Amino acid sequence: MKRALFVSLIFIALFTLTTACAPVPAPSVAPSAMPPTQVPAPTSAPAATAAPTKAAAESFDLDALIAAAKKEGSLTAYMTSSRVTNAGANFEKAYGIKVNGTKMADPEQTERLIRETDSKNVQVDVLGYEDGATLQGKLIPQGYAVSWVPPDLANVIPTAYQNPLIYQLQPRMFGYNTGVYGDKCPVTNVWQLTDPKWKGKVVVRDPAQTPANVAFFATLVAQPKLLEDAYQANYGKPLAVKEENAGYEFIKALAKNGPVVMAADGDVGDAVGAAGQKDPPLGMYTLTKHRDVKDKGLTIATCRAMEPFMGYQLPTYLVMAKNAPHPNAAKLFVRFLLTADGFKPWSDDMGGFSTNPNVPVNPNNEGTWADWAKKLVPLDTKAAASLGQKVSDFWLSTYSK
Amino acid sequence: MSVLTGTPARVDLKTAAQRLWNRVLYLWHDPTQALALLLIVLLAYLVLAPIGSMVLDSVRVQARDLNAGAAAVGDWTMNYLNRTLISNMSGILLWDPLVRTLTVSIAVSVIALTLGGLLAWLVMRTDVLGRRWLAAALAIPYMLPSWTFAVAWLTIFKNRRIGGLPGFAEALGFTPPDWLAYGAIPIIISEVFHYFPFAFLLFGTAMRSLDTQLEESARILGAPRWTILRRIVAPLLLPSLMSALLLIFSRTVGTFGTPYLLGAPVKYTVLATSLYSNFKSGGTGVMAVIALVMIILGMSMVALDTYVVRNYRRFVTVGGKGALRRVTPLGRSRLPVSLLIFAVFFVTTVVPIGSLFLSTVMVRPGIFTPSNFTLDYWVNGTGIKIFSGQLGVLQNLNIWGAAWNSVRIAGAAAIMAGILGTFIGYVVVRLGPTRISAFLRQVSFLPYLVPGIGFAAAYLSLFAAARGPIPALYGTMALVALAMSVAYLPNAARAGISAMMQLGKEPEEAAMICGAPWHQRMVRIVLPIQKSALMTGILLPFISGMKELSLIIMLATPGTELLTTQVLRYNDYGYVQLANATVLVIAALIFTLTVIVQRLTGSGLTAGLER
């Protein structure tokens, strides 16, 4: 009796299992509403200029959008920034549409979006997302997400930031401790980071857990000339390339110099800038952390003089779920975040730049985005998507040795 | 059946009906088997299905895989297995971390068991000072998030390798070497200090039900001390020992925060770190393989447990009659031993809580001038504003709302887990050594071995669409509670099984003879006797649930704030003081509610120890 019971139960269990795990049909790769993906050319940061696009020609009725959005009543947003809560509250004040906003890192957003879409139970409308490689390599081409630019802003937002739409740009750059090194960054060329003098004295966010840092490496590998020239400029002799190219040489030299990896920009900022240190490291972190100069008493400044770049441009994309349950509210929220009112939670605090040049810049941001862009490498998401794993494996194997 | 036996149909129908009726009557009086069936179906869906989906993830092209090339999502692939197990990256991804994980987990298990067991014996069976108080206090380290001790360690022992503010040791002129500041040794110590309460609580509960008369009889019969320990005490405590070993070992295998904080500066990667990195960087296929390795690692522990416990007969220690518990006087060593225990309390509780608290009353860390101290982060009235207008944690209504959400969800999950765990314990023990009972016992433990992120992702897929009679729960807080109750079911099931193992059948049989139906026997006899185990089975999941984050991030309804998500938000804004104050609020809530439950029910985590 017990045996029979047991056997039948196993069958039930197996049955449940197989049905529960039945293959989920891959999302149909529907022809995207957007034109084919274009990655801004990874040249030394074009000072983004406004250019007219065909989208502007379309008629756009903002009032109709507002009315349709109000009918939908609410929307759900996942964003990498906690400020989604404040932005959502401001949006509700302006339009009476409730925003269920949650701070969520990229990987969780990705998992939720993919699994929601595959199960045909999409709950998210808007995503504020940083991992450009996954977005352009997977989520948009495979029909999970779409990028939408408000037609009335298509002439305002520089085209380089429209496909997919970027709403915020941040510098992630090298900084140093002013308490020890005074008003001049002790490093003037990126290759100096690989010198014995800085062995174990460079702090970065863990590339194994930071897709943007891998994208940065991939970008360097995709344009080796930049580092070749920088080597020549620094040491006065050409770089002996043993690896595939100068990009890999740089990654290897950096990895071998034993940088310390950390989980968050805040940790890096504290490591670099804490006052009263004897032998402080250099570090790469987002400019936002400079707000801690006041709150935490950090003695910290950016390595402005570093050649040929002092870091990279970290974009935050703003896209919609392909099957968003509240498409109009989502569009209105996207548009809102591109305006001064919508961006306020970010511009109130230093470190971020709206891609809309008409949105006021925080006075502590050390200049305009155009100033910054000259010193920051734009991430090459295409290279990141195709070379990401190779570059990340290369980093891991040289770093772990 | 009638065709086969050839008897007239009318008579057969009658006997069949009679048989069926007998069966129903039997099930009514002893529904153990019906209950078993129900539990198996439940566990198959809630535990085996998510693990099954992970197995599939490891051999099928993942949607996030940027290297899939032309392969379509869901196609069969060996790439992830190859990459993780045999490629030239396998050493970095799996094998080196595996060796380190084993080192850490085995060391932590052995040390935590010894420490917890010793403390349980001292507090439970000897006359150390402040027993009652210690019984509650020594459980506190488990109520703190596991990374708090790692943070405290860094505050004290960090050196120049990671820059930033000087550590205390450095400030006092002693620069700790790397091996003391980072890597295996601090990881092991931090985790021992976090997980020893498991051993303490489980041994404590078992010792409570241990009748000292057994030992005394042996002593009267002339058995030497060592023999008593080996032949009587050890076998009786063995199930608890194995439970504690399993819980501690599996938890350390899955712990991410501590090994990352203390290991990253010296490249000490463990499996949990590797798993998390792969999740972050889109390697979900590799992540599934690593998760399976972790599950297999835990399952080998489960097998060991099954093997060891099978070789011992079950020992019924809770009889129908009263038991006697005597206390061993420590004599002259009473004071020094007591002081030693208080030292353990100081190091594992006062130091981490103290350093956290200190960080919430200082404007800038590490500057010990009076003007740098403030209570603004707790209560700032309407006067001075901190962090562009943030309210002190205690005044912030959002925090209280989040606290209420946390308590509600963790509470609901814990009660579900506790009830389910008690039933599992009942069925497992009542069915005796059958395969059904082995199945229930082992499957109910599996969630413990599954890394949180993977488990949550699988739940998302399982419940995002309606499947048969199961509604699409995704998007409701009920799913969070359900996932949490399953994730922490192992605690409850373990408590249920080990308590039930010690409960003889006699009390229930006596009631059966008196004609008490099953539900009455359950409510009036089994549950009251097992109240303390049931409470442990509810409180442990509650404590874990209050600290849970990864399940919540993956499954919670957007816009619902919980305490842990609030911590995340504060940290994101750089409001470290407010984040740490919120962590202390979580710990305080857990502690207060635990004490209240214990007072109200006269039982709970440390009930046995308080007599």
Side-chain angles (χ1 to χ4, degrees), chain A residues 266-331:
Chain A
D267 299 337
V268 178
D270 290 351
V272 172
Q277 295 190 65
K278 218 168 49 200
D279 193 11
L282 301 171
M284 189 163 75
Y285 53 86
T286 48
L287 180 64
T288 327
K289 303 306 156 198
H290 278 215
R291 68 181 168 213
D292 296 339
V293 168
K294 188 173 131 260
D295 287 336
K296 288 185 190 166
L298 299 186
T299 49
I300 196 167
T302 55
C303 285
R304 279 268 172 183
M306 221 161 125
E307 291 292 341
F309 50 80
M310 59 185 293
Y312 61 85
Q313 308 177 7
L314 177 66
T316 313
Y317 298 90
L318 191 62
V319 294
M320 290 161 43
K322 175 85 185 297
N323 304 317
H326 310 103
N328 293 303
K331 284 179 177 172

Side-chain angles (χ1 to χ4, degrees), chain B residues 478-501:
Chain B
L479 181 58
V480 181
L482 179 70
M484 228 183 230
S485 71
V486 177
Y488 299 118
L489 175 64
N491 276 325
R494 279 278 138 180
I497 293 171
S498 65
M500 214 51 91
M501 265 187 167

Side-chain angles (χ1 to χ4, degrees), chain A residues 215-270:
Chain A
F216 176 50
F217 287 159
T219 305
L220 297 182
V221 162
Q223 39 181 329
K225 186 88 174 47
L226 196 60
L227 284 160
E228 260 171 58
D229 294 349
Y231 189 93
Q232 175 79 41
N234 190 52
Y235 297 110
K237 59 176 182 189
L239 170 70
V241 180
K242 290 192 208 87
E243 300 294 332
E244 229 170 275
N245 66 36
Y248 285 105
E249 286 295 343
F250 177 74
I251 297 170
K252 185 167 131 190
L254 185 67
K256 291 227 147 130
N257 219 22
V260 175
V261 298
M262 291 183 178
D265 289 292
D267 299 337
V268 178
D270 290 351

